[in-house]
Amino acid sequence: MAFCVLSFDIGGTSIRAAIAVDGGAPGEVSRFDTPAHDREAFLARLAGIAADLSQKPDAIAISLAGVVDPETERMIVANIPAIHDTDLAADLEALTGIPVVIANDADCFAVAEAVFGAGRGHEIVFGIILGTGVGGGLVSGGRLINAGGGFAGEWGHGPIAPTMAGGIAIPHFACGCGLSGCLDTVAGARGIERLHTHLHGAPLDSRAILDAWRAAEVAATRTVSVYLDLIAGPLAVCVNLTGATIVPAGGGLAGAHDLLAAIDEAVRPLTLWKFDRPLVVPAASGAEPGLAGAAAIAFQKQAQSS
Ligand SMILES: [Zn+2]
């Protein structure tokens, strides 16, 4: 009988849901509001979506912007107070009688790329998110590393940003995680804006910076050059450390494929193994990597247990 997964991609304001069957990609996507501040309403919303299906799903798979405390199994979800510091999987299983798997959204992205996207055929895939900030996930042999937590592959946090880039001093900016010098502060869309302001004293939206870079305007060209110099070294070290042979990139900033190509050109000379083809590449797993990756994790869990 077909194995049916109800996949959720849960954000602070909306929930996307879709069904995936027998290892396939998720189908039609439905959208719902997130009851972000009410735990009972949050659980009832997910359980209600499951109950409304014509066939009871065999598993529920959830992608969200949080991590699971590996010791307590409780969620750390800053943008959804309703489920922060709760055991969402246990609560939802108790309510629905359906097994639940939960993974970090960057991890789901990495799995989606490994199974359905640019990472197909690669043993080790380091999926990176260049969005407002920076995230990442690591997949080996099609399987997520650290499925229980969500911390592996998080290259965005840790005080490792170079303090010299493009020939000038760059300060260690304070990060939301409590440290300073995290790549999250300089490598995402807010980061490139922060760099531009630091270099030129005038704030500019990341899209405008990239448009000006494309037009070869001096200030933006300088910003992007410093940006590339800042992130290329740390990203090359991630490639050396993980053995990844492909780095699919997703998120809003990664939608700028010319910027990705420039990142790829900056990173490849710095890795120990010199790749003679693109290494940092656009994501190719479709518009819903969270839904696809979460479902793929549920299918893998099913295959493991049967
Ligand atoms: Zn940080």
Side-chain angles (χ1 to χ4, degrees):
M1 213 172 101
F3 188 82
C4 172
V5 173
L6 171 57
S7 194
F8 289 116
D9 188 334
I10 302 178
T13 55
S14 73
I15 295 171
R16 297 198 299 285
I19 298 291
V21 179
D22 281 346
E28 191 185 342
V29 179
S30 307
R31 288 175 174 76
F32 307 86
D33 291 336
T34 305
H37 297 275
D38 181 337
R39 178 168 165 270
E40 300 298 321
F42 183 95
L43 291 169
R45 173 66 46 83
L46 298 193
I49 295 167
D52 284 345
L53 297 171
S54 56
Q55 180 199 339
K56 184 178 178 179
D58 300 292
I60 292 174
I62 296 175
S63 166
L64 47 68
V67 287
V68 179
D69 184 319
E71 287 178 359
T72 65
E73 300 282 310
R74 295 173 85 80
M75 304 292 312
I76 302 166
V77 197
N79 66 339
I80 310 174
I83 53 170
H84 177 66
D85 199 27
T86 70
D87 188 338
L88 174 60
D91 291 345
L92 195 56
E93 279 177 13
L95 198 58
T96 61
I98 302 167
V100 175
V101 295
I102 301 175
N104 172 263
D105 54 354
D107 284 349
C108 288
F109 168 77
V111 173
E113 283 301 308
V115 175
F116 301 111
R120 275 182 297 182
H122 289 267
E123 180 69 15
I124 300 179
V125 177
F126 179 43
I128 63 171
I129 303 289
L130 300 173
T132 54
V134 177
L138 186 59
V139 175
S140 174
R143 289 183 184 283
L144 183 64
I145 304 294
N146 191 21
F151 291 99
E154 287 293 348
W155 67 304
H157 297 281
I160 62 158
T163 49
M164 286 291 289
I168 64 159
I170 302 292
H172 267 185
F173 298 103
C175 180
C177 76
L179 298 171
S180 62
C182 296
L183 290 173
D184 194 69
T185 65
V186 290
R190 295 298 87 78
I192 205 166
E193 291 164 358
R194 187 175 284 115
L195 284 175
H196 191 83
T197 303
H198 176 74
L199 292 169
H200 309 296
L204 198 60
D205 171 71
S206 63
R207 287 169 197 273
I209 294 169
L210 293 181
D211 283 343
W213 168 61
R214 291 177 187 117
E217 289 178 19
V218 173
T221 300
R222 178 79 175 132
T223 299
V224 172
S225 145
V226 167
Y227 169 84
L228 294 172
D229 201 21
L230 265 178
I231 75 163
L235 190 47
V237 171
C238 290
V239 170
N240 290 346
L241 182 70
T242 59
T245 51
I246 195 81
V247 182
L253 193 62
H257 291 180
D258 47 2
L259 181 68
L260 275 191
I263 293 172
D264 180 59
E265 274 178 34
V267 169
R268 278 160 55 195
L270 305 182
T271 57
L272 269 177
W273 172 252
K274 306 297 185 223
F275 295 87
D276 60 1
R277 41 96 186 151
L279 173 68
V280 182
V281 298
S285 60
E288 297 286 353
L291 293 175
I297 292 168
F299 289 129
Q300 289 173 355
K301 200 169 175 185
Q302 149 73 7
Q304 235 171 0
S305 64
S306 62

